[in-house]
Amino acid sequence: MSTPSVSAVRRRDVIDALRRGAVPGNGLDLLATGLDRFETALDTELDTVASGGAVFKAVRGEYGSGKTFFSRWLGERARKKGFAIAEIQISETETPLHKLETVYRRITEQLTTSSFPPSALRPVVDAWFYALEEDALAAGATEEELGEAVAELMSARLGEVSRHAPSFATALRGYHRAVLDSDEATASAIIAWLGGQPNVAAAARRAAGVRGELDHFGALGFLQGLLTVLRDSGHRGLLVVLDEVETLQRVRSDARDKALNALRQLIDEVHSGRFPGLYLLITGTPAFYDGQQGVQRLAPLSQRLATDFTTDPRFDNPRAVQLRLPGFTMDSLVALGNTIRDLYADGSAHGERVRAVADDAYIAELARAVSGTLGGKVGIAPRVFLKKLVGDVLDRVDQFPDFDPREHYRLTVGVSELTDAERNLVSADDIDLDL
């Protein structure tokens, strides 16, 4: 097998991430084993959002089933369609879901586009003003009239947003003035305020004509404003991923109830049409969706997420509000290992030896060994398996002509190599650690 269409950069990014035991930041289409069944439905939903609609989607899967991989794979597809992306980890201390002002702040902090890494908020705003200037000039404005013409266009474009979050439009005007005046300190502070950052200097807020800090209710209006700016600066939409929402099950009951209600509110706002251009994705475990400490605790939320999973997984509906990730089997784990081996070999000067020494039979042996070391739990094996395959086997085969993993390598998995979630899922009795 060969993958000639893969660039050296993409191949290196994927291999380097797997060597670290991480989900690659790009090139995920190369590893998307079993996700092709979702492609048509998800691409249709992305196109709906790009046309001015909005979509909410929930993904469920046990640990190791690939929820983070799925969300980043979808993000990669969205980015290719011209979307901006923001991936957020929900947590009680850093990003509590019931504080939407914090969620909005994390969105702007993690905002990324095909051209800019996080935070892409300022480049997006600058691109928006540039687009307004181009439109004003195209409409016949002279250089002397440009400032006033841009202000008029801005008011028109933000008309709907101004009704819900007038301070968002006011701050944009203040930012534009600061840029024209070459007042970098004020411009940077106003961008921070637009991004929901607290403790912005009072002088900058006065210069922008705004006061106070963003609160829970204002956050939704600011999100509308951000979507408007993204659309008018050339982006087709925004994919927001709220990852690990199952952590809500472990917070205090009052905070949990507020968070579940906030999620219900977000879903309703998406479906009401308030957020054209938004694709909102959440990920969680089955226990979160089905257990009494999660979604089932709030009946209106449970009704909105209800999906029939009583049939054979082969017939799951990819268009449903909730998707089920089946997780890895031994066959799919081996198939993924073979894919990685071939991807590695294609970028190696010793590709023929890599394929011959780490052949299909050895890949299967290693997959079984890693799974066995983790108590036979194939579902939590992929990350460790790929890390061992790349870092312990393929790298050595590539560098040492006489290295034979069957003879010179003995699999060991130390406790320190496992994530907290992996350690929690494998009891001390299950795991035979060679330390």
Side-chain angles (χ1 to χ4, degrees):
M1 179 180 174
S2 181
T3 51
S5 63
V6 181
S7 72
V9 172
R10 290 182 80 211
R11 181 184 294 110
R12 184 176 65 247
D13 287 349
V14 170
I15 295 299
D16 286 350
L18 296 178
R19 186 183 288 116
R20 300 191 307 270
V23 175
N26 59 55
L28 297 178
D29 55 311
L30 305 173
L31 316 179
T33 303
L35 297 184
D36 53 334
R37 63 194 304 267
F38 299 122
E39 288 181 358
T40 300
L42 294 176
D43 283 347
T44 298
E45 290 176 348
L46 289 171
D47 290 341
T48 295
V49 172
S51 300
V55 168
F56 170 81
K57 203 79 167 182
V59 172
R60 65 190 275 144
E62 298 288 359
Y63 180 83
S65 61
K67 296 187 296 297
T68 298
F69 181 93
F70 175 92
S71 63
R72 292 183 183 172
W73 169 78
L74 178 61
E76 196 168 80
R77 299 182 75 82
R79 191 175 288 108
K80 289 177 180 177
K81 288 178 176 286
F83 279 61
I85 316 293
E87 179 186 326
I88 303 163
Q89 305 296 317
I90 296 300
S91 72
E92 182 179 13
T93 54
E94 297 296 321
T95 313
L97 185 55
H98 66 283
K99 294 186 177 181
L100 293 180
E101 67 273 28
T102 304
V103 174
Y104 170 79
R105 183 165 75 244
R106 295 289 181 257
I107 289 174
T108 63
E109 289 172 350
Q110 298 302 319
L111 187 67
T112 181
T113 69
S114 57
S115 302
F116 296 100
S119 166
L121 178 60
R122 184 163 185 175
V124 165
V125 170
D126 287 342
W128 185 64
F129 277 112
Y130 178 78
L132 292 182
E133 290 175 356
E134 290 294 296
D135 289 348
L137 291 171
T142 65
E143 289 293 338
E144 293 75 17
E145 300 167 338
L146 187 58
E148 184 177 340
V150 167
E152 290 177 0
L153 276 177
M154 180 169 57
S155 296
R157 302 275 172 89
L158 291 173
E160 180 66 24
V161 176
S162 295
R163 284 193 283 274
H164 299 280
S167 57
F168 189 91
T170 301
L172 281 174
R173 292 186 185 93
Y175 172 74
H176 192 227
R177 285 194 302 272
V179 170
L180 292 177
D181 294 341
S182 300
D183 186 351
E184 173 59 25
T186 299
S188 296
I190 295 173
I191 283 290
W193 192 85
L194 278 168
Q197 296 295 332
N199 307 317
V200 173
R205 284 185 272 127
R206 281 195 302 272
V210 297
R211 60 179 61 182
E213 295 180 350
L214 184 64
D215 60 18
H216 178 89
F217 301 102
L220 297 181
F222 272 43
L223 180 56
Q224 282 181 279
L226 177 61
L227 290 167
T228 299
V229 169
L230 281 167
R231 181 186 66 236
D232 290 347
S233 61
H235 298 89
R236 302 187 69 200
L238 171 64
L239 169 66
V240 173
V241 178
L242 303 181
D243 203 7
E244 299 182 1
V245 292
E246 69 267 11
T247 58
L248 297 180
Q249 298 172 101
R250 299 192 290 273
V251 305
R252 297 189 325 271
S253 60
D254 58 334
R256 184 188 315 141
D257 291 342
K258 290 177 183 177
L260 292 171
N261 192 57
L263 181 56
R264 192 272 313 158
Q265 181 184 3
L266 278 172
I267 294 172
D268 287 351
E269 296 284 14
V270 167
H271 291 157
S272 74
R274 182 175 181 180
F275 300 123
L278 177 65
Y279 194 120
L280 179 61
L281 176 77
I282 68 170
T283 74
T285 59
F288 169 72
Y289 294 109
D290 301 337
Q292 293 305 312
Q293 300 306 313
V295 168
Q296 299 304 314
R297 191 177 176 92
L298 183 63
L301 179 59
S302 174
Q303 292 161 9
R304 286 156 177 75
L305 295 178
T307 306
D308 179 16
F309 290 118
T310 60
T311 56
D312 188 314
R314 291 180 301 160
F315 305 117
D316 283 359
N317 178 13
R319 299 172 182 170
V321 67
Q322 202 180 140
L323 298 182
R324 169 170 56 179
L325 298 183
F328 278 88
T329 64
M330 185 56 66
D331 287 344
S332 61
L333 189 63
V334 172
L336 179 58
N338 291 341
T339 297
I340 296 304
R341 185 266 326 278
D342 291 331
L343 184 69
Y344 190 107
D346 286 344
S348 168
H350 313 291
E352 186 175 337
R353 183 169 78 244
V354 169
R355 284 190 174 89
V357 176
D359 58 12
D360 291 3
Y362 178 75
I363 298 294
E365 289 175 21
L366 183 64
R368 286 192 294 270
V370 172
S371 177
T373 302
L374 298 177
K377 294 179 171 63
V378 178
I380 65 173
R383 189 191 70 84
V384 177
F385 166 62
L386 294 176
K387 185 173 186 290
K388 295 292 184 181
L389 174 62
V390 172
D392 290 356
V393 176
L394 299 181
D395 278 346
R396 286 171 169 153
V397 172
D398 187 44
Q399 296 176 85
F400 306 109
D402 55 344
F403 176 76
D404 182 345
R406 290 181 171 90
E407 180 181 350
H408 303 123
Y409 175 64
R410 182 181 176 216
L411 175 68
T412 60
V413 179
V415 172
S416 62
E417 296 182 79
L418 303 179
T419 65
D420 290 342
E422 288 164 346
R423 283 194 291 269
N424 290 337
L425 288 168
V426 181
S427 70
D429 292 336
D430 286 334
I431 188 164
D432 177 20
L433 296 176
D434 224 340
L435 302 175

